[in-house]
Short mmCIF file of all heavy atoms in Angstrom, two decimals:
data_model
loop_
_atom_site.label_atom_id
_atom_site.label_comp_id
_atom_site.label_asym_id
_atom_site.label_seq_id
_atom_site.Cartn_x
_atom_site.Cartn_y
_atom_site.Cartn_z
N LEU A 40 52.56 -95.69 11.46
CA LEU A 40 51.63 -95.00 12.36
C LEU A 40 50.65 -95.96 13.02
O LEU A 40 50.01 -95.59 14.01
CB LEU A 40 50.86 -93.92 11.58
CG LEU A 40 51.72 -92.74 11.12
CD1 LEU A 40 50.87 -91.75 10.32
CD2 LEU A 40 52.39 -92.04 12.30
N MET A 49 61.80 -101.15 17.83
CA MET A 49 62.55 -102.17 17.11
C MET A 49 63.71 -101.55 16.34
O MET A 49 64.83 -102.09 16.31
CB MET A 49 61.63 -102.95 16.17
CG MET A 49 62.32 -104.11 15.48
SD MET A 49 61.18 -105.16 14.56
CE MET A 49 60.19 -105.82 15.89
N LEU A 65 88.83 -105.11 16.63
CA LEU A 65 89.30 -105.59 15.33
C LEU A 65 88.18 -105.86 14.32
O LEU A 65 88.23 -105.41 13.18
CB LEU A 65 90.16 -106.86 15.49
CG LEU A 65 91.42 -106.72 16.35
CD1 LEU A 65 92.13 -108.06 16.48
CD2 LEU A 65 92.34 -105.66 15.79
N ALA A 78 68.94 -107.64 10.19
CA ALA A 78 68.14 -106.60 10.83
C ALA A 78 67.13 -106.00 9.85
O ALA A 78 66.00 -105.69 10.23
CB ALA A 78 69.05 -105.52 11.40
N THR A 79 67.54 -105.84 8.60
CA THR A 79 66.61 -105.32 7.59
C THR A 79 65.44 -106.26 7.40
O THR A 79 64.29 -105.84 7.30
CB THR A 79 67.36 -105.11 6.26
OG1 THR A 79 68.44 -104.19 6.45
CG2 THR A 79 66.42 -104.55 5.21
N ARG A 112 72.01 -119.96 8.26
CA ARG A 112 73.26 -120.04 7.51
C ARG A 112 73.20 -119.14 6.28
O ARG A 112 74.18 -118.44 5.97
CB ARG A 112 73.53 -121.48 7.09
CG ARG A 112 74.89 -121.65 6.41
CD ARG A 112 75.09 -123.07 5.89
NE ARG A 112 75.03 -124.03 6.98
CZ ARG A 112 74.09 -124.94 7.14
NH1 ARG A 112 73.07 -125.00 6.27
NH2 ARG A 112 74.11 -125.78 8.13
N MET A 114 71.41 -116.43 5.89
CA MET A 114 71.50 -115.04 6.33
C MET A 114 72.93 -114.68 6.68
O MET A 114 73.40 -113.56 6.44
CB MET A 114 70.58 -114.80 7.52
CG MET A 114 69.10 -114.97 7.22
SD MET A 114 68.51 -113.93 5.87
CE MET A 114 68.83 -112.31 6.53
N GLY A 137 94.31 -92.54 -1.34
CA GLY A 137 95.21 -93.33 -0.52
C GLY A 137 94.58 -93.91 0.73
O GLY A 137 95.28 -94.37 1.63
N ALA A 141 88.31 -93.72 3.44
CA ALA A 141 87.95 -95.06 3.91
C ALA A 141 88.37 -95.25 5.36
O ALA A 141 87.62 -95.82 6.16
CB ALA A 141 88.61 -96.11 3.02
N SER A 175 73.53 -101.37 -2.90
CA SER A 175 72.19 -101.35 -2.31
C SER A 175 71.20 -102.14 -3.15
O SER A 175 70.35 -102.85 -2.62
CB SER A 175 71.71 -99.91 -2.16
OG SER A 175 72.52 -99.19 -1.27
N SER A 199 67.49 -109.48 -6.80
CA SER A 199 67.27 -108.16 -6.20
C SER A 199 67.75 -107.05 -7.13
O SER A 199 67.05 -106.05 -7.33
CB SER A 199 68.01 -108.09 -4.86
OG SER A 199 67.88 -106.79 -4.30
N LEU A 204 66.57 -102.71 -10.95
CA LEU A 204 66.88 -102.14 -12.26
C LEU A 204 65.63 -102.02 -13.12
O LEU A 204 65.40 -100.98 -13.76
CB LEU A 204 67.92 -103.02 -12.95
CG LEU A 204 68.52 -102.46 -14.25
CD1 LEU A 204 69.32 -101.20 -13.96
CD2 LEU A 204 69.42 -103.52 -14.91
N ASN A 206 62.62 -101.76 -12.16
CA ASN A 206 61.68 -100.82 -11.55
C ASN A 206 62.37 -99.52 -11.13
O ASN A 206 62.00 -98.90 -10.15
CB ASN A 206 61.01 -101.47 -10.34
CG ASN A 206 60.01 -102.54 -10.73
OD1 ASN A 206 59.01 -102.28 -11.40
ND2 ASN A 206 60.29 -103.77 -10.31
N LEU A 241 62.53 -73.04 26.65
CA LEU A 241 63.80 -73.73 26.84
C LEU A 241 64.87 -72.83 27.44
O LEU A 241 66.04 -73.21 27.52
CB LEU A 241 64.31 -74.29 25.50
CG LEU A 241 63.47 -75.39 24.86
CD1 LEU A 241 64.12 -75.87 23.58
CD2 LEU A 241 63.28 -76.55 25.81
N LEU A 248 71.18 -76.90 28.66
CA LEU A 248 69.92 -77.63 28.63
C LEU A 248 69.22 -77.45 27.29
O LEU A 248 68.73 -78.42 26.69
CB LEU A 248 69.01 -77.16 29.76
CG LEU A 248 67.60 -77.78 29.79
CD1 LEU A 248 67.69 -79.29 29.93
CD2 LEU A 248 66.78 -77.17 30.91
N LYS A 299 58.84 -115.49 22.08
CA LYS A 299 58.33 -114.34 22.80
C LYS A 299 58.88 -114.33 24.24
O LYS A 299 59.04 -115.38 24.85
CB LYS A 299 56.81 -114.35 22.84
CG LYS A 299 56.16 -114.02 21.53
CD LYS A 299 54.68 -113.77 21.68
CE LYS A 299 53.91 -115.01 22.05
NZ LYS A 299 52.48 -114.79 22.04
#
Side-chain angles (χ1 to χ4, degrees):
L40 292 178
M49 185 172 295
L65 300 177
T79 301
R112 185 185 300 113
M114 296 304 299
S175 297
S199 176
L204 189 65
N206 288 298
L241 295 182
L248 176 60
K299 287 192 293 186

